[in-house]
C-alpha cells in the first residue's frame, strides 16, 4: 500500500466515498519503459519524432519529453509536428518548452470534414527514411490507420507513443504481436506539463478578448465627435488617440 502512490491514493479516496481521477499526478512510467525508450534511441543511427497532432495530446507529450533524461535524447534529430485546425492550439508552442528542434507544419484542409494528416505523416516518414537516412521513428499518434505504414516499412524501427483513452485494442494487439515497442504518454507524470497548459490558456484568453474587443479607434473617435458635436482635424484626432 505504501510502496505504490497510485494504489494508496486511490484506496484513500475510496475509503472516504470519493474517486481519485488524476492518476497521472501520482504515477510515472516504469524505469523499464524509460530504459526501452533510451535503448531504442541509442541503437538508432538517426531518430525523428513524427507527431499526428490531431490524435495526440500536446500537454502529455510535453510532460513526457521533459520527464526523460535530456542527455539521452540528444540523438533525436527533430520533432515534426503535423497540426490541424481542429487540434489543440498549444502544439505551436511546444518548441518553447523542450530542447529538441521542432518543425511545425499546419495542414490545410481541402474539405472541412476530412483531415489530411494520415497521408502527410505517411509520406513524410517515407521521405525521411528513403532520402534522409532516418532509420528510427517515434510515431506519436493513437490512430490505428498508421499500422498500415508500419507494416509496409518492415526495415524501419518504430516506437509508438499512444494514449490510453484514444487507442483501441486492435492497434495494441498488432503492436504486441509484431514486437513493436509502444508506451502511453499519459502514463508519464503530467505535473511537468502545467506550465505549457497555463501559458496556452493565457494566450487563448488574450486572443479571445482581442477578437471580441477589436475596435477601430479612428472610427470610434469619429462617432464620439459626432455625438459631442466637436470638430477635430486629422492631426488633432491622432494626438487625442495617442494621449487618451
Amino acid at each position: 500500500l505504501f510502496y505504490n502512490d497510485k494504489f494508496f491514493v486511490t484506496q484513500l479516496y475510496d475509503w472516504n466515498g470519493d474517486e481519485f481521477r488524476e492518476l497521472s499526478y501520482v504515477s510515472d512510467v516504469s524505469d523499464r519503459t524509460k530504459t526501452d525508450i533510451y535503448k531504442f534511441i541509442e541503437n538508432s543511427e538517426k531518430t525523428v519524432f513524427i507527431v499526428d497532432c490531431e490524435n495526440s495530446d500536446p500537454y502529455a507529450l510535453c510532460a513526457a519529453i521533459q520527464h526523460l533524461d535530456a542527455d539521452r535524447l540528444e540523438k533525436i534529430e527533430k520533432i515534426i509536428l503535423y497540426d490541424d485546425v481542429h487540434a489543440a492550439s498549444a502544439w505551436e508552442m511546444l518548441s518553447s518548452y523542450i530542447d529538441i528542434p521542432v518543425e511545425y507544419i499546419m495542414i490545410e484542409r481541402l474539405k472541412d470534414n476530412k483531415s489530411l494528416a494520415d497521408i502527410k505523416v505517411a509520406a513524410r516518414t517515407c521521405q525521411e527514411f528513403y532520402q534522409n537516412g532516418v532509420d528510427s521513428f517515434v510515431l506519436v499518434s493513437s490512430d490505428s490507420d498508421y499500422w498500415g505504414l508500419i507494416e509496409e516499412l518492415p526495415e524501419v524501427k518504430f516506437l509508438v507513443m499512444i494514449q490510453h483513452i484514444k487507442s483501441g485494442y486492435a492497434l495494441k494487439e498488432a503492436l504486441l504481436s509484431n514486437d513493436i515497442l509502444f508506451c502511453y504518454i499519459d502514463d508519464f507524470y503530467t505535473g511537468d506539463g502545467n506550465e505549457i497548459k497555463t501559458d496556452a490558456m493565457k494566450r487563448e484568453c488574450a486572443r479571445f478578448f482581442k477578437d471580441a474587443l477589436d475596435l477601430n479607434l479612428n472610427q470610434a473617435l469619429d462617432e464620439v465627435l459626432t455625438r459631442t458635436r466637436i470638430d477635430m482635424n486629422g492631426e488633432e484626432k491622432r494626438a487625442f488617440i495617442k494621449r487618451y
Side-chain angles (χ1 to χ4, degrees):
L1 181 65
F2 291 110
Y3 181 74
N4 189 312
D5 289 346
K6 181 188 294 186
F7 182 58
F8 172 72
V9 74
T10 302
Q11 292 297 313
L12 182 64
Y13 271 63
D14 184 59
W15 294 334
N16 288 275
D18 202 350
E19 181 181 3
F20 185 76
R21 298 176 181 272
E22 300 293 341
L23 295 176
S24 56
Y25 283 105
V26 293
S27 65
D28 193 12
V29 292
S30 66
D31 289 337
R32 178 179 178 180
T33 298
K34 290 183 180 179
T35 299
D36 287 342
I37 294 172
Y38 297 146
K39 283 183 178 179
F40 177 84
I41 296 171
E42 289 167 1
N43 292 335
S44 70
E45 294 295 326
K46 285 184 178 182
T47 303
V48 166
F49 270 67
I50 293 195
V51 184
D52 172 12
C53 298
E54 192 178 13
N55 289 291
S56 193
D57 183 280
Y59 315 111
L61 180 60
C62 182
I65 294 174
Q66 289 181 339
H67 214 55
L68 292 170
D69 184 357
D71 292 337
R72 310 288 288 273
L73 303 180
E74 287 185 347
K75 286 187 68 177
I76 298 174
E77 297 269 315
K78 58 187 171 184
I79 297 176
I80 305 171
L81 301 178
Y82 277 100
D83 201 0
D84 183 86
V85 291
H86 296 300
S89 61
W91 282 112
E92 55 190 293
M93 303 170 59
L94 185 67
S95 61
S96 300
Y97 298 88
I98 58 176
D99 294 328
I100 303 170
V102 173
E103 182 180 341
Y104 176 80
I105 301 168
M106 173 59 77
I107 305 172
E108 294 185 3
R109 292 191 170 205
L110 294 180
K111 293 184 177 181
D112 188 59
N113 63 344
K114 180 62 177 175
S115 171
L116 298 175
D118 291 5
I119 190 64
K120 291 276 189 179
V121 167
R124 183 60 181 271
T125 302
C126 293
Q127 181 185 20
E128 290 291 332
F129 173 63
Y130 288 110
Q131 292 186 4
N132 301 329
V134 177
D135 64 323
S136 302
F137 294 89
V138 179
L139 179 60
V140 185
S141 177
S142 298
D143 190 343
S144 60
D145 288 350
Y146 292 117
W147 174 246
L149 170 67
I150 296 171
E151 197 173 32
E152 290 300 316
L153 293 175
E155 62 271 52
V156 175
K157 291 179 285 186
F158 284 96
L159 186 163
V160 184
M161 287 186 162
I162 60 179
Q163 291 176 262
H164 284 284
I165 194 172
K166 291 186 176 181
S167 53
Y169 173 80
L171 173 61
K172 289 178 279 189
E173 184 65 23
L175 294 171
L176 284 169
S177 300
N178 291 272
D179 296 321
I180 304 295
L181 183 63
F182 72 93
C183 67
Y184 297 98
I185 57 174
D186 40 3
D187 273 354
F188 286 83
Y189 170 64
T190 59
D192 289 338
N194 284 338
E195 185 180 1
I196 188 174
K197 284 183 179 180
T198 301
D199 288 346
M201 290 182 66
K202 287 164 62 178
R203 190 180 66 163
E204 287 308 315
C205 281
R207 283 179 175 176
F208 174 83
F209 286 115
K210 182 180 183 296
D211 292 340
L213 302 174
D214 189 11
L215 300 175
N216 184 316
L217 294 181
N218 291 298
Q219 184 178 354
L221 182 56
D222 286 340
E223 180 68 23
V224 169
L225 292 174
T226 298
R227 293 186 181 188
T228 58
R229 304 299 190 269
I230 296 174
D231 292 324
M232 281 188 178
N233 60 33
E235 186 60 38
E236 289 172 329
K237 289 180 182 180
R238 286 189 289 273
F240 186 89
I241 289 173
K242 183 177 180 180
R243 182 173 181 182
Y244 296 108

